[in-house]
């Protein structure tokens, strides 16, 4: 049966049997929803896009640092079918029941638009960027999904949605066979970096930028979703995206997500505080490059440019002060990045590799304390 085929495939991907069976039910429900929409019965495709946990790496990715990541066993189960026109029809369903919870329809075009703050803006962002980068006149798709990932809970539900829509469009149009794709996207890591640029609104290699969803992040979430390995914590560096290592987790240990109940919408009130932390990094790097006549791409590149660079940048911070970025804010932002990237994450990686859970606990506590004291964007519930 279709359910058995889905369950078997999911099991080979690393799901345990109960989760594989549950997700297979969602895929079958998506397939029935396509039938109800009158979607094409042939050439249907499936996408799985999980949520992720940022184990370590608080605001390190867009600064060129390092992160430890895992994907989770909740996410988006997607079925898609090609259309005969250039429209996107997207329907989302609750894990229980087959009544559409969310629905949108828009063109696969640079003119695609949706309200800021509405979930369909993520779909529109993907549609616009694909049309700009790969050309107008692409084949549209009917897309149905069931997500058991909590929304706005810090597990990258919005990024998983964007990746689900993009992979569906890419598969329907065989974008990976185009010269544009082959020239710019040679690996999963490159695809993650491109999708990170898509969400942020930046250019990627020869693929021009366009307005994103409003957050100034990096490609950590996209990398976790696309490149994580079952049963492992993966270790990545940023700008460019590159794999450092992967550490197997003993089967008796699990990550557990506790949702505090406070919505973390990327396009809502928390965005300004998130972006301020990112803008400080941009400001430091830009001022450093202007002053030193260098062209370092990231804060990590600045730090690693010379053995005296850390002290030099610290000394430059008072001269970088602006009304928006006081000296103390720049200093604590810089110190948090140094601590997380060059002390805590290497210590955590060693602890994972050696199963030293006591050290891991101490590192986690120090990382959270630094975020609370130095980043200025935490909430009491965390």
């Amino acid at each position: 049966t279709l359910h058995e085929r889905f369950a078997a495939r999911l099991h080979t991907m690393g799901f345990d049997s109960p989760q594989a069976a549950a997700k297979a039910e969602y895929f079958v429900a998506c397939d029935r929803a396509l039938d109800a929409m009158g979607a094409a019965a042939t050439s249907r495709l499936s996408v799985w896009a999980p949520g992720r946990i940022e184990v370590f790496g608080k605001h390190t990715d867009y600064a060129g640092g390092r992160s430890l990541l895992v994907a989770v066993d909740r996410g988006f189960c997607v079925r898609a079918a090609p259309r005969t026109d250039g429209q996107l029809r997207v329907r989302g369903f609750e894990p229980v029941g087959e009544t559409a919870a969310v629905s949108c329809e828009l063109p696969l075009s640079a003119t695609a638009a949706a309200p800021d703050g509405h979930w369909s803006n993520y779909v529109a962002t993907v549609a616009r960027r694909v049309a700009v980068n790969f050309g107008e006149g692409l084949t549209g798709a009917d897309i149905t999904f069931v997500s058991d990932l909590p929304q706005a809970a810090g597990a990258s539900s919005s990024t998983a949605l964007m990746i689900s829509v993009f992979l569906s469009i890419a598969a329907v149009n065989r974008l990976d066979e185009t010269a544009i794709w082959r020239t710019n996207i040679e690996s999963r890591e490159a695809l993650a970096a491109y999708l990170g640029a898509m969400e942020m609104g930046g250019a990627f290699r020869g693929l021009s930028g366009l307005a994103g969803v409003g957050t100034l992040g990096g490609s950590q979430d996209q990398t976790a979703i696309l490149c994580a390995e079952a049963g492992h914590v993966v270790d990545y560096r940023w700008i460019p995206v590159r794999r450092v290592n992967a550490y197997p987790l003993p089967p008796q240990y699990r990550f557990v997500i506790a949702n505090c109940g406070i919505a973390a919408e990327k396009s809502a009130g928390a965005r300004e505080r998130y972006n301020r932390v990112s803008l400080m990094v941009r400001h430091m790097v830009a001022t450093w490059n202007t002053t030193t006549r260098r062209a370092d791409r990231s804060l990590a590149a600045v730090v690693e440019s010379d053995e005296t660079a850390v002290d030099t940048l610290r000394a430059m911070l008072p001269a970088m002060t602006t009304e928006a970025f006081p000296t103390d804010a720049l200093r604590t932002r810089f110190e948090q990045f140094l601590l997380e990237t060059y002390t805590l994450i290497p210590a955590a990686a060693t602890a994972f590799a050696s199963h030293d859970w006591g050290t891991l606990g101490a590192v986690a506590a120090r990382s959270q304390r630094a975020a609370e004291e130095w980043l200025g964007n935490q909430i009491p519930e965390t």
Side-chain angles (χ1 to χ4, degrees):
T1 66
L2 187 60
H3 180 277
E4 290 171 338
R5 294 201 300 273
F6 280 129
R9 179 73 181 95
L10 291 162
H11 190 67
T12 64
M13 292 169 60
F15 285 94
D16 60 28
S17 295
Q19 281 288 346
K23 297 298 187 292
E25 289 283 359
Y26 300 159
F27 279 109
V28 171
C30 290
D31 214 55
R32 287 197 296 263
L34 284 179
D35 291 339
M37 292 168 63
T42 59
S43 302
R44 291 184 179 181
L45 59 101
S46 307
V47 173
W48 160 251
R52 68 93 185 95
I53 300 173
E54 174 194 271
V55 185
F56 291 95
K58 292 180 175 65
H59 289 263
T60 57
D61 56 341
Y62 58 75
R66 184 175 169 188
S67 299
L68 302 181
L69 308 163
V70 296
V72 301
D73 58 7
R74 292 194 182 196
F76 283 74
C77 299
V78 183
R79 288 284 278 168
R83 291 178 57 84
T84 57
D85 57 20
Q87 290 294 110
L88 291 176
R89 289 195 301 172
V90 183
R91 305 283 187 272
F93 299 83
E94 298 290 347
V96 178
E98 296 184 20
T99 302
V102 292
S103 177
C104 75
E105 183 170 349
L106 45 81
L108 180 49
S109 166
T111 64
D116 186 28
H118 191 265
W119 75 275
S120 59
N121 186 44
Y122 299 117
V123 179
T125 299
V126 175
R128 289 192 301 268
R129 184 65 179 260
V130 170
V132 167
N133 290 159
F134 292 93
E136 297 277 357
L138 295 173
T139 299
D142 290 323
I143 301 170
T144 58
F145 68 83
V146 172
S147 172
D148 60 359
L149 186 65
Q151 297 180 28
S156 291
S157 59
S158 57
T159 298
L161 170 62
M162 292 182 70
I163 289 175
S164 298
V165 173
F166 174 82
L167 292 178
S168 299
I169 295 170
V172 163
N173 288 277
R174 298 183 177 179
L175 294 183
D176 61 337
E177 298 177 11
T178 65
I180 294 172
W181 183 294
R182 291 196 299 268
T183 300
N184 294 283
I185 305 173
E186 77 287 351
S187 65
R188 277 183 179 253
E189 283 79 9
L191 177 58
Y194 169 60
L195 293 173
M198 177 186 292
E199 186 166 325
M200 181 183 66
F204 178 74
R205 297 179 178 171
L207 303 174
S208 59
L210 195 68
V213 301
T215 49
L216 303 177
S219 50
Q220 172 184 269
D221 298 350
Q222 293 79 6
T223 302
I225 290 169
L226 290 169
C227 305
E229 301 172 23
H232 290 72
V233 175
V234 292
D235 187 343
Y236 272 87
R237 287 289 308 262
W238 310 112
I239 312 179
V241 179
R242 54 204 187 276
R243 184 182 183 276
V244 176
N245 210 334
Y247 312 104
L249 284 171
Q252 67 268 33
Y253 289 98
R254 299 273 181 163
F255 283 98
V256 178
I257 298 177
N259 184 355
C260 72
I262 302 298
E265 293 282 4
K266 288 185 176 179
S267 52
R271 182 169 63 188
E272 183 177 346
R273 285 191 298 166
Y274 180 98
N275 285 347
R276 183 173 184 269
V277 177
S278 177
L279 289 169
M280 279 193 281
V281 170
R282 291 188 180 190
H283 176 66
M284 283 188 278
V285 174
T287 307
W288 163 273
N289 283 336
T290 299
T291 303
T292 62
R293 297 183 180 181
R294 292 180 57 85
D296 292 314
R297 295 179 58 194
S298 68
L299 191 55
V302 170
V303 168
E304 296 164 16
S305 64
D306 183 271
E307 62 183 12
T308 65
V310 170
D311 289 337
T312 301
L313 184 57
R314 282 185 178 131
M316 291 170 60
L317 292 177
M320 295 183 183
T321 300
T322 67
E323 184 177 351
F325 305 136
T327 303
D328 284 349
L330 293 170
R331 178 183 59 79
T332 55
R333 178 69 190 95
F334 185 45
E335 296 302 330
Q336 184 274 338
F337 173 74
L338 291 176
L339 178 68
E340 185 86 351
T341 298
Y342 297 102
T343 299
L344 298 181
I345 290 175
T350 299
F352 273 118
S354 60
H355 299 175
D356 182 356
W357 311 123
T359 294
L360 190 67
V363 171
R366 183 69 188 96
S367 174
Q368 179 62 24
R369 189 165 71 249
E372 292 171 356
E373 295 173 353
W374 289 348
L375 282 181
N377 66 351
Q378 300 295 294
I379 60 173
E381 287 79 6
T382 59

